């Protein structure tokens, strides 16, 4: 420390260039830092979801849940294993120790489940293995409002708005909430089925057999090969009603004879309202590790483009923005950081009675903090409430060392009558070791926090 002080006093241009270099590198790092409310946390928590329609909780637990638990229980690093068996669904939650890599844990769970896949019921869907991501919660809720039919709004929101938002950088998923998709409903008539001697299974089998598209082989025409497909899918409710269920002599029994076919919609599984009025909501989730504020800003820009193409009478309204809280929280911490630096400089003026000395010591605050941004960027940190509060706490540590050294130089000049340059070298040498020991002591106190 003494040699650096001596070099900086004797080479003021070198000292100025050194400080300027720290500031430039720090500003470059600051422009690349992400902005979020909290740091990204990779929690090694895995859920295994298996669905089997029409099954009760007891059957789900015996045939699915217990087998999955037995398969994954041998994986190393499990802290807690819990499960939920309900009507038609099994959910197994696996909580690993923090030392376990989440991606590795997910792959191990998939491998162990694949080994017992043939032991699960044939009617059960394939188990879905998902890694819990605390940062994957929706960052934006967008309401699509119009007086059109709900089915029409759902189709437009899904095929036009959702797809234009999902291709943005940083956007992980866009879900439609409160919508109802188009669906052709076949309402069976029990009396008509009984009269013709048919069952619901007969109608289902007829529709499945006559409403499909299959490969038809290839046709060779010289050097060109054509791929053929047999298109047998119905394209309207009338065509579905004309499907033959059974042939009785010269009379064909069609779907329309035993059922009512309508161009309807799926049942509502979610409902969305804005100020008491029905609406369609688009929930925007960001990709893991992406910057929330940047993602929201990009979505806002794309929404401006989408609004220009909306039909007359349609509107898009942002009803919830997670970045607003982040901006407010970070702005508040930044304000406290600046106020803390100003108050620390004011204390120097009050106790030393020298404005020039206060300016010199106050320069240590911005230079140190700006230089820290470069190290934060290199370490992969973001500007969040945790890191900004840490910087606010560091202001006191930085100004402490500056005040101690500056006060000792001030004493050497006033009490010993030394000139400023030799006084700076001698005063720094006088207390350099003590200041260094104090700094290392503070680092030792806060170092354990870095491992949390």
């Amino acid at each position: 420390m003494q040699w650096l002080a001596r070099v900086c006093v004797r080479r003021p241009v070198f000292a100025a260039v050194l400080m300027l270099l720290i500031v430039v590198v720090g500003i470059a790092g600051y422009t690349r830092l992400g902005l979020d409310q909290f740091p990204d946390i990779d929690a090694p928590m895995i859920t295994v979801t298996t669905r089997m329609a029409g099954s009760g909780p007891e059957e789900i637990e015996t045939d699915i849940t217990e087998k999955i638990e037995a398969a994954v229980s041998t994986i190393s690093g499990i802290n807690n294993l819990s499960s939920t068996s309900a009507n038609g669904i099994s959910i197994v939650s696996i909580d690993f120790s923090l030392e376990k890599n989440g991606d590795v844990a997910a792959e191990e769970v998939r491998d162990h489940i694949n080994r017992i896949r043939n032991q699960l019921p044939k009617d059960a869907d394939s188990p879905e293995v998902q890694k819990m991501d605390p940062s994957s919660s929706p960052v934006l809720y967008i309401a699509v409002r119009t007086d059109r039919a709900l089915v029409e709004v759902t189709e437009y929101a899904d095929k036009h708005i959702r797809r234009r938002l999902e291709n943005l950088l940083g956007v992980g998923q866009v879900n439609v909430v409160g919508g109802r998709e188009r669906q052709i409903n076949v309402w069976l008539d029990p009396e008509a089925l009984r009269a013709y001697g048919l069952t619901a299974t007969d109608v289902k089998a007829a529709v499945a057999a006559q409403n499909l598209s299959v490969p038809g082989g290839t046709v060779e025409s010289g050097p060109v090969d054509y791929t053929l497909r047999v298109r047998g899918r119905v394209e309207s409710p009338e065509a579905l009603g004309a499907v033959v269920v059974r042939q009785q002599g010269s009379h064909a029994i069609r779907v329309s004879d035993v059922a009512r076919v309508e161009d309807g919609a799926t049942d509502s599984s979610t409902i969305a309202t804005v100020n008491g009025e029905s609406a369609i909501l688009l929930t925007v989730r960001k990709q893991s590790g992406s910057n929330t504020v940047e993602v929201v800003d990009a979505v806002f820009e794309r929404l401006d483009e989408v609004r220009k193409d909306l039909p007359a009478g349609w509107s898009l309204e942002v009803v919830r923005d997670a970045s607003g809280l982040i901006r407010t929280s970070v702005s508040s911490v930044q304000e406290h950081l600046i106020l803390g630096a100003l108050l620390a400089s004011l204390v120097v003026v009050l106790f030393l009675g020298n404005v020039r000395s206060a300016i010199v010591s106050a320069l240590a605050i911005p230079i140190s903090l700006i230089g820290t941004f470069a190290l934060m960027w290199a370490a992969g940190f973001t500007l969040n409430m945790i890191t900004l509060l840490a910087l606010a706490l560091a202001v006191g540590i930085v100004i402490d060392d500056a005040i101690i050294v500056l006060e000792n130089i001030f004493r050497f000049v006033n009490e010993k009558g030394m000139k400023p340059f030799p006084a700076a070298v001698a005063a720094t040498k006088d207390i350099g070791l003590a200041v260094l020991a104090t700094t290392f002591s503070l680092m030792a106190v806060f170092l354990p926090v870095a491992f949390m």
Side-chain angles (χ1 to χ4, degrees):
M1 183 176 178
Q2 288 83 1
W3 69 267
L4 181 61
R6 184 167 55 253
V7 171
C8 291
V9 169
R10 294 178 178 176
R11 302 286 190 271
V13 176
F14 169 76
V17 172
L18 183 62
M19 290 187 293
L20 187 61
L21 178 63
I22 294 174
V23 171
V24 171
V25 174
I27 292 175
Y30 178 80
T31 57
R32 291 168 172 80
L33 286 177
L35 185 62
D36 217 326
Q37 186 174 9
F38 294 106
D40 286 329
I41 300 174
D42 187 12
M45 298 176 61
I46 311 297
T47 59
V48 182
T49 305
T50 310
R51 293 177 172 82
M52 188 168 68
S55 301
E58 296 83 2
E59 185 180 359
I60 291 289
E61 182 178 7
T62 303
D63 296 342
I64 298 178
T65 304
E66 291 182 355
K67 294 179 180 180
I68 293 178
E69 286 181 340
V72 302
S73 61
T74 58
I75 301 176
S76 62
I78 295 180
N79 275 344
N80 185 40
L81 180 63
S82 60
S83 63
T84 301
S85 299
N87 289 325
I89 188 170
S90 166
I91 301 177
V92 179
S93 301
I94 312 167
D95 183 9
F96 290 88
S97 58
L98 293 178
E99 291 77 15
K100 189 84 170 183
N101 183 279
D103 295 329
V104 174
E107 287 299 323
E108 291 182 357
V109 171
R110 290 190 183 96
D111 292 340
H112 281 69
I113 290 179
N114 288 335
R115 297 174 188 173
I116 63 154
R117 183 66 185 89
N118 57 353
Q119 301 178 18
L120 300 179
K122 295 182 179 180
D123 296 337
D125 297 339
S126 297
E128 299 177 4
V129 180
Q130 294 181 332
K131 185 178 72 170
M132 298 291 290
D133 187 2
S135 63
S136 65
S137 58
V139 297
L140 208 60
Y141 291 81
I142 306 168
V144 184
R145 307 179 69 175
T146 181
D147 55 357
R148 301 286 184 88
L150 195 59
V151 175
E152 181 182 353
V153 181
T154 303
E155 184 175 3
Y156 186 88
D158 180 65
K159 294 184 177 180
H160 295 82
I161 304 176
R162 180 185 64 83
R163 295 180 182 180
R164 294 183 66 177
L165 296 180
E166 274 190 339
N167 60 16
L168 288 173
L169 181 65
V171 175
Q173 187 181 33
V174 179
N175 293 324
V176 180
V177 180
R180 297 182 64 184
E181 297 181 356
R182 184 191 180 196
Q183 177 177 276
I184 306 300
N185 297 320
V186 179
W187 302 99
L188 298 177
D189 185 350
E191 295 182 358
L193 289 174
R194 190 181 303 111
Y196 287 110
L198 299 174
T199 63
T201 304
D202 296 331
V203 179
K204 177 181 178 182
V207 172
Q210 301 179 51
N211 179 37
L212 47 81
S213 178
V214 296
T218 58
V219 176
E220 297 182 0
S221 176
V224 182
D225 291 344
Y226 295 95
T227 301
L228 299 181
R229 291 192 64 85
V230 179
R231 299 185 61 184
R233 290 192 177 275
V234 297
E235 298 182 353
S236 65
E238 292 76 15
L240 183 59
V243 170
V244 177
V245 180
R246 179 183 293 176
Q247 186 77 26
Q248 291 184 348
S250 60
H251 177 66
I253 303 174
R254 304 181 184 276
V255 173
S256 59
D257 296 331
V258 295
R260 176 172 56 88
V261 183
E262 69 171 9
D263 190 348
T266 58
D267 295 333
S268 297
S269 57
T270 58
I271 297 177
T273 59
V274 179
N275 297 328
E277 298 180 3
S278 178
I280 299 294
L281 278 184
L282 298 175
T283 62
V284 181
R285 300 175 184 269
K286 69 183 183 70
Q287 293 177 347
S288 180
S290 58
N291 189 329
T292 300
V293 175
E294 289 183 357
V295 171
V296 171
D297 289 341
V299 172
F300 279 152
E301 292 181 4
R302 182 60 56 86
L303 286 179
D304 292 337
E305 300 176 4
V306 173
R307 287 189 179 97
K308 299 177 181 178
D309 301 331
L310 286 177
W314 292 58
S315 65
L316 293 178
E317 178 184 352
V318 177
V319 295
R320 183 176 298 177
D321 179 7
S323 69
L325 177 61
I326 297 174
R327 299 176 201 268
T328 303
S329 302
V330 172
S331 177
S332 177
V333 176
Q334 289 176 338
E335 179 184 350
H336 294 163
L337 188 62
I338 296 173
L339 287 177
L342 293 177
L343 292 175
S345 303
L346 182 61
V347 170
V348 176
V349 175
L350 293 177
F351 280 86
L352 295 183
N354 191 311
V355 177
R356 181 181 178 184
S357 300
I359 294 175
V360 172
S361 61
L363 284 176
I365 298 175
I367 293 175
S368 301
L369 296 183
I370 292 174
T372 306
F373 293 140
L375 299 177
M376 290 172 59
W377 172 71
F381 293 167
T382 60
L383 282 176
N384 52 70
M385 292 188 66
I386 304 299
T387 54
L388 286 173
L389 286 172
L391 289 174
L393 182 64
V395 169
I397 301 174
V398 170
I399 198 66
D400 280 349
D401 293 345
I403 291 175
I404 293 172
V405 174
L406 185 63
E407 190 275 337
N408 203 41
I409 297 174
F410 193 78
R411 183 174 63 87
F412 270 60
V413 173
N414 288 319
E415 295 182 3
K416 297 186 177 182
M418 297 180 63
K419 293 184 178 180
F421 277 14
V425 176
T428 305
K429 183 178 180 181
D430 183 40
I431 61 170
L433 189 60
V435 172
L436 197 62
T438 302
T439 303
F440 282 132
S441 299
L442 292 172
M443 290 176 60
V445 171
F446 293 106
L447 189 60
V449 182
F451 296 97
M452 294 180 61

